[in-house]
Amino acid sequence: MQAHKGRHALGIAASLALGLAAAQAQAAEKAEVIHWWTSGGEHAAVKEFEKAFDAQGGKWVDAAVAGGGGDSARADGINRIIGGNPPAAMQFNTGKQFDELVSNGLLRNLDPLAKEYGWKDKINPVLLNAVSQDGHMYAVPVDIHSNIWLWYSPELLKKAGVEPPKTWDDLFTDLDALKKQGVIPLAQAGSAWTQALTFFNVMIGEGGKDLYMKVLKDRDVAAVKSPEFLKVAQTFGKLRDYVDSGMQGRQWNQATALVINDKAGFNFMGDWAKGEMELQNKVPGKDVGCIPALGHNTYWVGGDVFVFPKLNDKAEIKAQDLLAKVLLEPKVQLAFNEKKGAVPVLKDVPSQDMDQCAQQGLALLKKGDYVPSSDILISPDMSGSITDLVASFFTDKSQTPENFVNRFAQIIGG
Amino acid sequence: MKPLRLRRLSAQVALVPTWIIVIFAYIGTILWTIRISFTSSGILPKYDFVGFKQYDRLFQSSRWTISVENLAIFGLIFVIGCLVLGFLMAVFLDQRIKGEGIFRTIFLYPYAMSFIVTGLVWAWILNPTLGIQQAVQNWGWNGFTFDWLSRGDRAIYLVGFAGMWQSAGLVMAILLAGLRGVDEDIWKAARVDGIPPWRVYLSIVIPMLSSMFVTAVVLLAIAVVKVYDIVVAMTGGGPGISTEVPAKFVIDYLFNRQNIALATAAASVMFVAVLVVLGPWLYNQYFRQDRRAS
């Protein structure tokens, strides 16, 4: 609780400082933006937005709040919106996280802008659906991220004399071989959300798209109690034998860096991992291998959006308009998503320059082999309960898959 | 009589702002919190009524159960550890040793750090791949393992230990002041009777310092109930959810999981628990003594 108080004090100091800055730069259209892109690759990407916005007469005021999963940033922003001191724009994950803000009338309806710039025809329909309520658009999607990638070090696999996996059985063969070599077979971070991400990788890759939709969308308890889901739990449980004791206290980008630097064989992470690769001048798909949802190759349509809280100040509203327009300009989209490791949300952005992994992702999108992200399907509350369950199962080998299935069914059924 | 009554009146008037703050800022928010815990609120407060639904869910949640157990474990290690260690340090300094100032600074120094810094420092020291374990292995003991921080069944003990390391100095400072107040004649008399010093400490000095111990226990107990930052910095609640604590449960549901009804239910349970456990005891310790004194 003390930490929280500290955060408020900081916030007050920051807003005072911002106030001063605003007085000095009256001419520019100032927009304070809350986001959680603070790792090296993410920072480089968000700079692209800042540059483009400033170039067109805006003044980007960065209010980044650290913390990989964005929990603290969202807490901060929601608090400010409810407290009557909203930022000009704020990041959310594509999905249900801001539903309640919309239904309480705290966010701007973006229909006029969407009409002016023709967004409704240009944006990927899954995303458009995810940011709309009752046919009105309430957020600007900025990237498509798939959480369900498996990254591997081709060099270490070669040393161990094994091929990149095609099935989960292959993966365990590879992991065993890596273990014998004395390297970390599976680099996993300690934060609970990264463990939940690994679980969804198994659920979609091993269990398949239909099982995932039945469980998360239809809340079908029978599907949770099915043999397929038990297999998912068993496979996920088996992964516990291949992580090292340094897992606890490791951040997601440190885990990914282990694979990038050939110190660990595999890492489950979203495609924002590519941002870290770019920072170290490694080419995704070549220096670091990528597999979209091992087993049933599937893409996951999630990502990030910006919402624009309702404001009174005319100048600030103008800044919001400008920012929304800049975020969706094709050139800006391409520059941002290249650094971010994601795929642009616009359908007509040229894709030939994108890396091999992004190409694989786009091909899956075109074929229709994709699922909506878990954030789109379930509430933050349920998602939190699943994360708790997954993390406590993953870090405690005494918990059985059967027990895991029962408790999962309770969450889905309740 | 009149001037006295007038004086009382002006005192009451002077207290009005305090009363307003107490009524609105403390009692009002407590009541509001309890009210919200009976609703189905999400991100924003809603004023419907769903009975004990949130409390039902709370007590069925394994995360809450683990949090409460952890609070008990942390509390025992922290309070007892701080008292024992703090007392020993105070006794050590009370021997009028050379360089007392230096030792006092060293002992009190951890207390100058926040729980966040304490948590981070110990997280690094105890990290199996960076800290003690790796260092000892590099020195040649390859079989040495000390990975409690990455073991769900042990990590909370280390959190308690780190908390103890931070706060023992405070207890030392309080008890040292008490020890300095013990009459020299008692020591002389004990020496004449041939009573060993440890016996004097145990049977005479400690009972004399009981009010100092109470002060220390109250301060430590408050720190236990609100423990949050050291867990966030040291383990983030992990591995898994094995080092979660009630305050973190409240914050997580309040801000991240968009369920303020469940969060306020948890906060209300904490509040009632503190009231039930600490209330009568504090009353007993402070108010009755005061009355006897007056």
Side-chain angles (χ1 to χ4, degrees), chain A residues 60-393:
Chain A
W60 176 285
V61 181
D62 203 72
V65 182
D71 285 349
S72 343
R74 285 195 297 272
D76 217 50
I78 290 173
N79 249 4
R80 284 187 51 188
I81 292 172
I82 295 170
N85 174 29
M90 168 181 177
Q91 182 195 356
F92 275 101
N93 286 124
T94 316
K96 289 185 178 301
Q97 286 168 352
F98 52 95
D99 272 9
E100 219 179 310
L101 294 177
V102 172
S103 55
N104 281 283
L106 293 165
L107 300 182
R108 270 185 69 182
N109 181 336
L110 301 174
D111 284 349
L113 291 172
K115 214 169 155 195
E116 191 180 337
Y117 302 115
W119 288 341
K120 289 196 177 170
D121 303 319
K122 290 184 188 159
I123 295 174
N124 178 303
V126 183
L127 290 178
L128 192 64
N129 205 11
V131 298
S132 303
Q133 268 190 36
D134 306 323
H136 303 296
M137 192 173 161
Y138 287 99
V140 169
V142 291
D143 53 22
I144 304 179
H145 268 305
S146 176
N147 287 15
I148 48 175
W149 289 92
L150 176 59
W151 307 96
Y152 61 88
S153 156
E155 202 184 311
L156 283 186
L157 289 194
K158 209 155 100 201
K159 255 191 217 155
V162 287
E163 289 290 308
K166 294 231 161 44
T167 65
W168 286 86
D169 289 337
D170 292 353
L171 176 65
F172 287 110
T173 315
D174 291 6
L175 287 170
D176 281 328
L178 288 166
K179 210 176 196 176
K180 267 195 212 119
Q181 294 274 311
V183 293
I184 304 170
L186 178 64
Q188 174 68 47
S191 357
W193 68 267
T194 65
Q195 291 159 7
L197 180 144
T198 300
F199 172 73
F200 282 124
N201 254 291
V202 181
M203 188 169 169
I204 296 165
E206 172 85 302
K209 198 160 89 170
D210 293 338
L211 179 72
Y212 169 83
M213 291 303 276
K214 259 191 224 157
V215 172
L216 288 197
K217 183 153 182 275
D218 308 336
R219 314 276 155 82
D220 183 353
V221 175
V224 180
K225 303 240 163 153
S226 66
E228 289 82 27
F229 193 84
L230 182 65
K231 184 89 205 308
V232 168
Q234 284 163 344
T235 306
F236 182 56
K238 240 166 107 182
L239 290 176
R240 295 183 290 198
D241 299 332
Y242 298 96
V243 298
D244 66 317
S245 63
M247 173 176 86
Q248 188 60 31
R250 187 184 284 147
Q251 302 297 320
W252 73 264
N253 49 342
Q254 294 167 322
T256 303
L258 286 175
V259 172
I260 299 176
N261 299 323
D262 300 321
K263 294 211 171 78
F266 291 94
N267 173 233
F268 290 101
M269 190 40 62
D271 47 18
W272 53 88
K274 287 191 288 187
E276 301 300 308
M277 293 165 206
E278 188 166 310
L279 269 186
Q280 306 200 24
N281 295 320
K282 298 274 176 110
V283 181
K286 202 176 119 233
D287 299 324
V288 183
C290 55
I291 303 166
L294 178 67
H296 297 82
N297 292 130
T298 309
Y299 204 68
W300 157 293
V301 180
D304 303 285
V305 302
F306 277 101
V307 300
F308 298 89
K310 279 189 182 156
L311 299 172
N312 295 322
D313 189 290
K314 280 226 176 73
E316 283 182 51
I317 295 173
K318 250 177 81 189
Q320 284 183 330
D321 290 350
L322 179 67
L323 181 60
K325 176 186 149 238
V326 169
L327 293 178
L328 281 177
E329 277 176 354
K331 248 196 333 206
V332 180
Q333 273 286 307
L334 205 59
F336 170 79
N337 280 302
E338 231 163 55
K339 293 236 163 81
K340 187 81 198 323
V343 174
V345 298
L346 302 171
K347 286 185 256 176
D348 51 5
V349 169
S351 64
Q352 63 272 19
D353 295 339
M354 283 193 279
D355 64 77
Q356 211 189 316
C357 301
Q359 302 281 7
Q360 276 191 54
L362 279 177
L364 289 173
L365 270 179
K366 270 200 195 114
K367 268 201 319 196
D369 278 340
Y370 59 80
V371 290
S373 76
S374 63
D375 288 325
I376 294 177
L377 297 174
I378 56 177
S379 70
D381 191 359
M382 183 178 278
S383 160
S385 300
I386 292 177
T387 304
D388 281 350
L389 172 60
V390 164
S392 76
F393 174 76

Side-chain angles (χ1 to χ4, degrees), chain B residues 138-159:
Chain B
N138 289 348
W139 292 334
W141 283 286
N142 284 322
F144 179 83
T145 50
F146 184 60
D147 57 353
W148 280 26
L149 202 62
S150 50
R151 290 181 53 178
D153 53 341
R154 302 279 167 82
I156 188 65
Y157 299 104
L158 292 184
V159 178

